Amino acid sequence: MDIPELAFLTTWIAASVRLTGPLLLASIGELISERAGVLNVGIEGTVLLGALAAYLGAIWSGSPWIGALAAAGMGMLVNVFLAWMYVVVKASQVVVGIIFNVLAMGIASYAFRTIMGDIPRIQTAPMMPEISVPGLKDLPLIGPALFGQSVMFYITILIALGTGWLMYRTRLGLNLRAVGEYPKAAAAAGINVVRMRIIAVLACGLGGGLAGAYFVLVQIGLFRDTIVQGRGFIALGIVILARWNPYLAILAAFGFASMDALALSLQLFDLPIPTQALVALPYLLTVLAVSGVFGRSRNPAALMTPYHADR
């Protein structure tokens, strides 16, 4: 293999793995919510507000771990409102989610400029430490990509695997899936459908907030109001492509991230391809996933269906 080709593969794989983290966190959160029957379109705004909280928490405390905790707390806090609207008020999940995303963008932009406006130089947030596995990191191609990542990447993989175990091996996971498939039957079996759905939306907020933290504390160290760039919506496509399966979500998130990383890695070659076309690849893949081009998938039967206990 030629040196340019080797360099391309190495950088592409490394960038793909690096970009997988926030997509996987957001999609795992969304997957839990949808499994319970709630389509949380507000995941985009949740990620953005989580990124803001992570940045402010990290620079004020000097610790990336405090920043991650702040992001997790912010994600769950704003999803208390979303859970109330989705589950209690029974408002349109799509409409509420879209309006929330617009509101979140305005709040994040205003808050950041208000808080940081008097500071002459924007600080770089402290970053999450990296873990290097001796010996394995030196493996060709996959070594630096898989065994020299931030500690948050490995935590993200554990979260995805743990979600799969919880979903398919525990009573809580069974109850969660039940309220997303047959809420009336679940209620007859003694499961509190409203409570389970609220818990699921809060879990989605946790995943979205941590995804925002990943952008800031692992990737760039800064906050800007364009940091998410539609990746919350990409998480919706990942959930569909993964067939609402946490284990498959790992592969699906990597697939989307590899398309995102392609635009960066192909800069090693002088190709007559517009950069904008390469940047659009993950969004095109999202459209294809939602449209069913990769095969029809059966979503949870009660997805987007409000639960009425008295009907």
Side-chain angles (χ1 to χ4, degrees):
M1 185 179 293
D2 295 337
I3 293 180
E5 293 176 352
L6 182 61
F8 164 72
L9 287 176
T10 302
T11 56
W12 185 28
I13 294 173
S16 298
V17 173
R18 188 177 181 85
L19 295 173
T20 295
L23 292 178
L24 182 55
L25 283 168
S27 60
I28 287 295
E30 181 64 30
L31 186 149
I32 294 173
S33 180
E34 292 191 21
R35 274 292 197 171
V38 180
L39 178 67
N40 191 358
V41 181
I43 185 68
E44 175 86 2
T46 301
V47 176
L48 180 61
L49 292 175
L52 176 62
Y55 177 73
L56 295 177
I59 62 170
W60 286 342
S61 68
S63 169
W65 299 104
I66 298 297
L69 288 175
M74 175 63 76
M76 295 183 72
L77 178 63
V78 298
N79 273 255
V80 169
F81 167 73
L82 288 174
W84 178 69
M85 291 296 293
Y86 292 149
V87 182
V88 180
V89 177
K90 300 178 177 60
S92 169
Q93 295 171 12
V94 174
V95 174
V96 170
I98 292 174
I99 293 175
F100 173 78
N101 290 334
V102 176
L103 180 64
M105 184 177 297
I107 291 174
S109 180
Y110 175 77
F112 180 70
R113 283 163 174 76
T114 300
I115 295 171
M116 307 297 293
D118 296 332
I119 298 178
R121 178 177 174 273
I122 301 299
Q123 290 180 253
T124 300
M127 307 292 279
M128 284 287 183
E130 292 187 353
I131 296 180
S132 297
V133 181
L136 295 178
K137 186 181 179 181
D138 298 326
L139 292 174
L141 291 180
I142 63 171
L146 295 180
F147 304 108
Q149 289 290 329
S150 164
V151 64
M152 199 164 179
F153 170 76
Y154 303 107
I155 293 174
T156 299
I157 297 299
L158 290 176
I159 288 174
L161 295 175
T163 301
W165 174 82
L166 181 145
M167 194 77 69
Y168 300 117
R169 300 291 183 181
T170 68
R171 185 177 183 82
L172 177 62
L174 178 61
N175 293 346
L176 188 76
R177 288 182 286 133
V179 301
E181 294 288 348
Y182 308 107
K184 290 291 186 182
I191 301 172
N192 190 319
V193 176
V194 172
R195 181 189 301 164
M196 288 301 303
R197 287 188 169 184
I198 289 175
I199 291 173
V201 176
L202 294 182
C204 183
L206 175 63
L210 289 176
Y214 203 108
F215 281 121
V216 173
L217 304 177
V218 176
Q219 294 187 352
I220 65 174
L222 297 170
F223 174 82
R224 55 178 183 269
D225 47 19
T226 58
I227 193 172
V228 184
Q229 293 183 325
R231 286 174 176 83
F233 295 115
I234 289 178
L236 298 174
I238 291 173
V239 172
I240 296 173
L241 189 62
R243 304 295 193 268
W244 291 269
N245 185 310
Y247 301 122
L248 294 179
I250 299 175
L251 299 177
F254 178 78
F256 276 83
S258 66
M259 293 296 99
D260 204 1
L262 194 61
L264 302 173
S265 301
L266 283 178
Q267 292 179 6
L268 293 171
F269 303 96
D270 188 18
L271 299 177
I273 303 175
T275 304
Q276 294 82 356
L278 296 175
V279 171
L281 283 177
Y283 305 98
L284 175 61
L285 191 60
T286 302
V287 173
L288 294 177
V290 173
S291 65
V293 169
F294 299 109
R296 293 291 176 182
S297 57
R298 193 189 73 82
N299 58 268
L303 182 62
M304 297 181 62
T305 303
Y307 171 68
H308 299 272
D310 54 346
R311 296 183 189 175

